[in-house]
Amino acid sequence: MGGEAFVETFGTIYASNITPAAIGDWTDGELVQAITEGVNRDRQPLFPIMPSSRYKEMDIEDLYSVVAYLRMLKSISNDVSEKKLKFPFNHIERTFPETYNPISKPADTDKLAYGKYLATIADCISCHTPRNKTGKPIEELYLAGGYEFPIHGGGTVRASNITPDNTTGIGSWVGEDFINRFMEYSFPPGEGIPVEQENNTIMPWSAYATMTDADLSAIYLYLMSVAPINNNVNEWGRTE
Ligand code: HEC
């Protein structure tokens, strides 16, 4: 239902309400445009925390499934505050809209390509690649972590280095370690995740725990194929 505040160098941006109460009268085309091009129905840019630069590659069938799913959500009224961008980001933001440039979903037998596709549309890449001060991903630190998020109740958490670097990334993990790390969070529906306050994370572990082993292992294979980057991330530490 939105409302999550992302406090950044750029200002304060609130995640939108995307239940039918707010977007019920948007057409499918307008929703597709928001997801893939990062613009609202008036073609005004959405701040690029919304990862359209990755979603623009989503296969059209998957995109329709997302739209169909949004239509099925329970309608929740929640007036989310307008974003407040600091100068100069209120101007820079206008340069961000993307163009929908879909790739066809690779066959799941082509594990590497399929894993890359999943990592793209499941958002791993946008969260695990840090951004520069204008919100653009730093491609030299592709998947090397460090992107910092504020968490409820104060504090911050940083995305981990998930490149195959042996010391600072997940290079020493075998496929089973990777899958098990996600399975730790598979709970029957309705049961909360017992996370310690100081270890609150925005990594959507429980949502991903519903992925199949085959999908997770394809993602793992893809991650193992990217360039290892030595970048030591202190996930739970305070900002220096
Ligand atoms: C909304 C942001 C976000 C998204 C999306 C996201 N992650 Fe994360 N991830 C994090 C953060 C923050 C951490 C560090 C805190 C933690 O371990 O929960 C993390 C931790 C991890 C870790 C643990 C690494 C370690 O060294 O313990 C792995 C593995 C991981 N993510 C893989 C993925 C994969 C694969 C995807 C996509 C399917 C993904 N993440 C999507 C934010 C995200």
Side-chain angles (χ1 to χ4, degrees):
M1 86 186 168
E4 183 91 6
F6 291 90
V7 187
E8 302 252 353
T9 323
F10 337 109
T12 309
I13 302 119
Y14 300 88
S16 309
N17 184 349
I18 54 168
T19 76
I23 51 130
D25 62 343
W26 288 38
T27 65
D28 288 356
E30 285 167 344
L31 286 173
V32 162
Q33 212 171 48
I35 298 168
T36 61
E37 297 182 17
V39 291
N40 69 15
R41 58 198 309 207
D42 304 320
R43 297 207 59 82
Q44 293 302 307
L46 304 170
F47 202 76
I49 287 179
M50 163 78 188
S52 302
S53 65
R54 308 289 175 192
Y55 293 161
K56 71 177 178 207
E57 294 187 350
M58 206 184 292
D59 186 287
I60 191 84
E61 290 302 322
D62 285 342
L63 200 49
Y64 287 152
S65 304
V66 172
V67 170
Y69 174 72
L70 292 179
R71 300 269 185 234
M72 282 164 43
L73 291 174
K74 188 165 155 238
S75 195
I76 303 174
S77 298
N78 178 29
D79 279 332
V80 175
S81 317
E82 288 287 314
K83 64 191 162 190
K84 299 179 198 71
L85 293 182
K86 293 182 196 157
F87 179 83
F89 302 107
N90 46 349
H91 297 288
I92 294 174
E93 190 195 32
R94 304 203 154 272
T95 62
F96 283 131
E98 302 285 346
T99 312
Y100 183 40
N101 188 15
I103 55 174
S104 333
K105 179 154 69 181
D108 57 6
T109 43
D110 184 356
K111 280 198 144 200
L112 204 57
Y114 182 65
K116 178 177 188 188
Y117 178 78
L118 291 181
T120 304
I121 65 161
D123 226 11
C124 323
I125 300 173
S126 12
C127 262
H128 282 273
T129 305
R131 311 203 185 184
N132 68 19
K133 289 208 174 339
T134 65
K136 285 260 181 202
I138 306 171
E139 297 297 337
E140 302 76 62
L141 286 176
Y142 186 70
L143 292 174
Y147 191 15
E148 192 172 296
F149 303 90
I151 45 180
H152 280 303
T156 51
V157 61
R158 295 187 188 86
S160 312
N161 181 344
I162 54 170
T163 72
D165 184 64
N166 273 328
T167 44
T168 62
I170 59 167
S172 63
W173 297 23
V174 296
E176 215 184 327
D177 298 332
F178 185 80
I179 294 175
N180 288 342
R181 185 73 168 79
F182 285 82
M183 289 311 145
E184 281 171 38
Y185 299 88
S186 45
F187 300 101
E191 273 186 35
I193 315 167
V195 192
E196 301 298 325
Q197 181 60 34
E198 65 268 24
N199 279 356
N200 263 339
T201 178
I202 80 154
M203 162 85 188
W205 289 111
S206 56
Y208 294 145
T210 61
M211 280 198 263
T212 62
D213 282 13
D215 283 358
L216 283 170
S217 78
I219 294 178
Y220 171 79
L221 269 189
Y222 171 65
L223 294 178
M224 289 300 132
S225 78
V226 309
I229 298 173
N230 189 281
N231 184 35
N232 202 4
V233 175
N234 179 0
E235 282 92 340
W236 311 106
R238 306 290 317 172
T239 325
E240 314 68 51

